[in-house]
């Protein structure tokens, strides 16, 4: 079963396949396998899901704080952009985990940003990119990623299963992202990952509504940890979610626009 792919996403994914082919000319799959194995010795996974769960067990929100310079819908979000400083600020502000955009062409991200951010703190990090090929999964572990994002809207069921199992074999956690019911069905059928993200933003129209989380959450088995993604800007947004028993959040823009991202995190998420 293949869920229909929206157009902006189709454009990004088409470019992604080109990019992967370019990279394969530069670094072979075998070299990347060796680099990932090496990372598992020198830079083992920090336990992404575990860190989220720990915060939630303590009664806090589990916040995945995003490091994102720009996005296709909003343009540049932050001019002064030093990933290591942002990472430290987030850690101080109480983040459970970091999310680092590594896509270059649409989000002005870079793999180096993930490496720099992770080296500057103790937090586990998710590689936020459009992952459609095994090559990118190896690449993620080789740069130190503790988790990868898999977006149901750009994967077939079989591909989702393959990439999910491969990531977990490499010691990473997997966050599977869905936006609507067909994608949720695909995610539940083809992946048993604990972390299920509901993106409140439609990657086709950029339309954003927190209602997406409430509409889909009822169909998610209780052994999964739901992460509400995108469009969280106010303390009210946070309390509405927590009242409905959603305790894990992925937040980017609201923090990126603040002078001190970690202070903004503490302000939004303090009880
Ligand atoms: O900046 P926001 O609205 O707080 O959203 C963060 C995050 O959810 C968003 O960046 C995101 C969610 N899924 C994605 C997939 C690809 C790129 C980006 C994303």
């Amino acid at each position: 079963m293949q869920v229909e792919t929206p157009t902006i996403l189709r454009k990004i994914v088409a470019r992604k396949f080109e990019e992967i082919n370019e990279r394969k000319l530069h670094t072979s799959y075998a070299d990347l396998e060796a680099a990932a194995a090496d990372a598992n010795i020198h830079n083992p996974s920090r336990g992404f899901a575990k860190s989220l769960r720990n915060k939630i067990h303590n009664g806090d929100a589990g916040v995945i704080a995003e490091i994102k310079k720009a996005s296709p819908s909003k343009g540049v979000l932050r001019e002064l952009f030093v990933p290591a400083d942002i990472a430290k600020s987030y850690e101080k502000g109480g983040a459970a985990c970091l999310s680092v955009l590594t896509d270059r062409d649409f989000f002005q991200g870079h793999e180096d940003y993930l490496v720099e951010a992770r080296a500057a703190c103790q937090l586990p990090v998710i590689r936020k990119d459009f992952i459609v090929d095994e090559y990118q999964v190896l690449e993620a572990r080789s740069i130190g990623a503790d988790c990868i994002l898999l977006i149901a809207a750009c994967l077939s069921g079989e591909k989702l299963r393959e990439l999910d199992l491969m990531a977990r074999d490499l010691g990473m956690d997997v966050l599977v992202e869905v936006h609507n019911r067909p994608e949720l069905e695909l995610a539940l059928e083809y992946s048993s990952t604990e972390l299920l993200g509901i993106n409140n933003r439609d990657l086709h129209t950029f339309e954003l509504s927190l209602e997406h989380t409430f509409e889909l959450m009822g169909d998610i088995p209780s052994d999964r940890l739901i992460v509400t993604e995108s469009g969280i800007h106010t303390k009210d947004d946070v309390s509405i979610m927590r009242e409905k028993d959603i305790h894990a959040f992925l937040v980017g823009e609201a923090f990126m626009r603040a002078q001190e991202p970690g202070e903004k995190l503490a302000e939004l998420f303090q009880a």
Side-chain angles (χ1 to χ4, degrees):
M1 174 171 133
Q2 168 84 58
V3 173
E4 198 189 327
T5 312
T7 50
I8 174 72
L9 203 53
R10 199 174 278 155
K11 202 173 147 199
I12 295 174
V13 167
R15 171 66 197 126
K16 204 45 75 177
F17 281 111
E18 287 173 13
E19 184 191 310
I20 295 163
N21 285 333
E22 290 158 16
R23 286 175 187 226
K24 282 178 177 168
L25 297 176
H26 189 260
T27 307
S28 72
Y29 192 87
D31 284 350
L32 213 46
E33 271 182 320
D38 192 61
N40 273 343
I41 297 166
H42 298 106
N43 237 341
S45 279
R46 292 176 175 174
F48 190 94
K50 198 176 105 209
S51 181
L52 269 182
R53 282 264 184 225
N54 282 345
K55 288 276 185 191
I56 295 167
H57 278 312
N58 289 335
D60 295 324
V63 182
I64 306 169
E66 189 151 280
I67 298 182
K68 164 170 80 169
K69 183 168 171 68
S71 75
S73 56
K74 303 283 176 91
V76 173
L77 298 169
R78 187 179 184 84
E79 288 294 344
L80 180 64
F81 186 80
V82 183
D85 291 348
I86 300 169
K88 284 185 213 150
S89 176
Y90 278 153
E91 185 171 49
K92 203 166 149 224
C97 302
L98 301 181
S99 164
V100 182
L101 262 297
T102 58
D103 174 77
R104 299 185 195 184
D105 295 343
F106 297 89
F107 289 85
Q108 298 190 32
H110 202 284
E111 298 78 54
D112 291 351
Y113 297 162
L114 189 150
V115 174
E116 291 158 17
R118 190 173 184 272
C121 68
Q122 302 295 319
L123 300 175
V125 184
I126 183 170
R127 180 185 191 190
K128 196 71 152 347
D129 209 312
F130 297 81
I131 295 190
V132 290
D133 190 279
E134 283 80 349
Y135 188 88
Q136 296 163 290
V137 180
L138 283 177
E139 203 172 47
R141 186 76 277 274
S142 76
I143 59 172
D146 306 285
C147 185
I148 58 165
L149 177 74
L150 293 176
I151 303 171
C154 50
L155 296 166
S156 67
E158 290 305 326
K159 202 69 191 175
L160 173 60
R161 191 198 322 266
E162 268 171 47
L163 300 176
D164 173 77
L165 292 176
M166 181 182 184
R168 291 196 278 150
D169 270 352
L170 285 165
M172 294 184 285
D173 290 323
V174 175
L175 171 61
V176 176
E177 173 179 308
V178 304
H179 176 70
N180 54 36
R181 195 154 270 103
E183 289 171 16
L184 175 60
E185 282 168 16
L186 181 132
L188 292 175
E189 184 176 348
Y190 288 93
S191 163
S192 59
T193 188
E194 182 184 0
L195 303 178
L196 208 67
I198 302 178
N199 196 351
N200 299 308
R201 182 178 292 112
D202 187 312
L203 293 173
H204 174 46
T205 58
F206 296 139
E207 170 270 345
L208 194 135
S209 163
L210 302 187
E211 288 300 316
H212 289 289
T213 294
F214 307 133
E215 278 164 22
L216 295 179
M217 61 182 283
D219 295 336
I220 299 177
S222 60
D223 57 345
R224 310 276 183 136
L225 178 57
I226 301 174
V227 181
T228 188
E229 304 181 359
S230 310
I232 303 290
H233 287 278
T234 65
K235 288 187 74 153
D236 273 354
D237 295 338
V238 172
S239 38
I240 290 166
M241 288 292 166
R242 298 206 68 184
E243 274 162 24
K244 305 226 175 187
D245 236 13
I246 301 287
H247 301 294
F249 296 80
L250 174 55
V251 182
E253 181 182 350
F255 299 161
M256 283 294 94
R257 291 197 195 275
Q259 191 163 5
E260 197 52 58
E263 280 173 17
K264 185 72 182 178
L265 190 159
E267 179 195 314
L268 278 194
F269 286 92
Q270 78 199 356

